[in-house]
Amino acid sequence: MARIRVLIVDDSALMRQMLSSILTSDPGIEVVGTAPDPLVARDKIKTLNPDVMTLDVEMPGMDGLAFLERVMALRPMPVVMVSSLTGQGAAVSLRALELGAVDVFCKPADAAAGGLTAYRTELIEKIKAAAMARLRPPRDPAARSITRLSVTQIYRSSDRLVAIGSSTGGVEALRDIIVALPADAPPVVIAQHIPPRFSASFAERLNGLSAVRVKEAVDAERILAGHVYIAPGDRHLRVRRSGAALVTHVQDGPLVSGHKPSVDALFHSVAQTCAGKAVGVILTGMGRDGADGLLAMREAGADTLGEDESSCVVYGMPKAAHEIGAVQRQLPLSRIADEILRLCRAQGDD
């Protein structure tokens, strides 16, 4: 089987060396070249024909976003953004995902001391997922915010809960779903595999585009209709009861199914807490996090949906869930928001 050909673009010679060392330690990956800036990278893309490119987010004197936009227009390819854990890095990286990047990898704070080696498994996983990714067209930069609508009484019961899990490609998939929800939509809880600090920026950006209120989840918060709660990038999100109300439970802890936040952790909690008064949705992503939890939701009486292969950036998590019988219906991304609302209305009529 051919190895994945990777081009590394970063202004730091140390970072280029460290990324190369980590990636070449995997027999399935070959680093075919490195570049200190987009100008050199442009020529190396032409001569080396890489399968995947890593691209530094913040490069002095160079606009990584402009370069990404040109690459996606002239020579579309899977790109993984390499970002610092900063507010600016998060904002730029989220914009990069809108422009067509597949995923984001965070530089550790102690990279100069060799701390990047602790990220080996995550980085290799992201490169392999990117190599399998189906590219989506870039977002229209003129996309506008949606006017918030007045809340009606259709979905007021917080017992009608929607739980969504996603990974690679999920940031943009979630955007498609959330912006389509009305202001009075059922409450939504989300576990997306996303770096720490990025989740808050992601929630803020979605909140500005959506009729529902979107926020990063905090512990012991009452779950309300018309609200979307996104798990922090380094914490598990679960759902619990406090009397008649549903509340968030956000906590640190070991990885579950290899991840934190974990889709399985969220889905299992919803199965135990909400039984049949829930809808579970598993979206694009590599691996099988969420498959077992979605099966638990279905066995508890919840309705379950999976994104079908035609619209997935990576058809991994939905495929794993489908193969074990956790998914009642597979649908393209464009139909999932409407189906969520239809199922919640049907549950409300029970």
Side-chain angles (χ1 to χ4, degrees):
M1 184 174 181
R3 291 189 291 175
I4 300 167
R5 297 166 54 82
V6 179
L7 173 66
I8 296 170
V9 184
D10 198 295
D11 67 299
S12 165
L14 175 61
M15 187 58 62
R16 295 195 301 273
Q17 180 182 5
M18 296 175 75
L19 290 172
S20 296
S21 177
I22 287 176
L23 292 177
T24 55
S25 71
D26 188 288
I29 297 174
E30 176 186 6
V31 175
V32 295
T34 66
D37 59 56
L39 294 178
V40 175
R42 179 189 60 190
D43 293 334
K44 292 203 172 185
I45 288 173
K46 295 177 182 177
T47 59
L48 298 173
N49 194 30
D51 301 312
V52 178
M53 178 171 67
T54 71
L55 179 61
D56 191 7
V57 168
E58 298 168 293
M59 290 183 288
M62 291 290 172
D63 187 342
L65 290 182
F67 179 60
L68 174 67
E69 193 166 12
R70 177 168 294 186
V71 167
M72 299 313 293
L74 300 178
R75 202 286 196 186
M77 62 186 299
V79 176
V80 176
M81 304 304 293
V82 180
S83 172
S84 301
L85 283 176
T86 65
Q88 176 63 20
V92 173
S93 296
L94 290 171
R95 177 63 183 140
L97 293 173
E98 293 177 352
L99 290 172
V102 172
D103 211 338
V104 177
F105 175 75
C106 281
K107 299 177 182 178
D110 59 345
L116 191 62
T117 54
Y119 288 66
R120 177 184 181 277
T121 299
E122 180 186 359
L123 176 59
I124 289 173
E125 180 181 276
K126 287 183 181 295
I127 294 299
K128 290 183 175 180
M132 297 169 55
R134 176 185 290 106
L135 298 181
R136 285 179 177 160
R139 292 284 178 184
D140 179 359
R144 294 176 297 175
S145 299
I146 296 173
T147 303
R148 296 187 188 280
L149 306 175
S150 59
V151 176
T152 65
Q153 299 297 315
I154 298 175
Y155 305 108
R156 294 308 298 171
S157 170
S158 64
D159 281 346
R160 313 301 175 186
L161 183 69
V162 179
I164 304 177
S166 50
S167 186
T168 307
V171 168
E172 290 303 287
L174 288 168
R175 170 177 162 153
D176 284 357
I177 292 172
I178 301 306
V179 300
L181 299 178
D184 66 325
V188 179
V189 288
I190 294 172
Q192 159 71 35
H193 299 161
I194 195 168
R197 300 192 189 179
F198 283 55
S199 47
S201 296
F202 177 44
E204 182 179 352
R205 179 168 294 210
L206 272 183
N207 188 59
L209 294 170
S210 308
V212 290
R213 306 287 175 177
V214 186
K215 62 181 310 238
E216 185 181 53
V218 297
D219 190 44
E221 183 173 16
R222 185 170 181 176
I223 295 173
L224 301 172
H227 288 66
V228 175
Y229 306 86
I230 298 175
D234 58 353
R235 296 288 187 274
H236 292 302
L237 170 62
R238 294 179 172 90
V239 174
R240 290 185 173 177
R241 283 203 179 272
S242 177
L246 294 176
V247 297
T248 56
H249 180 55
V250 177
Q251 64 175 166
D252 200 352
L255 302 180
V256 176
S257 301
H259 296 278
K260 184 170 59 175
S262 165
V263 182
D264 270 328
L266 176 62
F267 284 176
H268 277 294
S269 74
V270 174
Q272 295 166 4
T273 303
C274 302
K277 295 183 177 181
V279 175
V281 184
I282 193 160
L283 303 176
T284 175
M286 188 171 180
R288 56 170 297 107
D289 184 28
D292 293 337
L294 194 68
L295 180 60
M297 287 186 64
R298 183 173 185 182
E299 290 176 343
D303 292 301
T304 59
L305 302 174
E307 183 178 357
D308 76 12
E309 186 174 6
S310 68
S311 64
C312 279
V313 172
V314 178
Y315 184 57
M317 288 162 50
K319 179 181 180 181
H322 179 70
E323 287 177 344
I324 64 171
V327 176
Q328 288 175 310
R329 293 190 68 193
Q330 290 195 109
L331 295 169
L333 181 63
S334 60
R335 294 178 55 192
I336 287 178
D338 284 346
E339 184 65 10
I340 288 171
L341 296 175
R342 187 191 72 78
L343 290 170
C344 288
R345 292 190 194 103
Q347 288 180 349
D349 294 336
D350 289 346

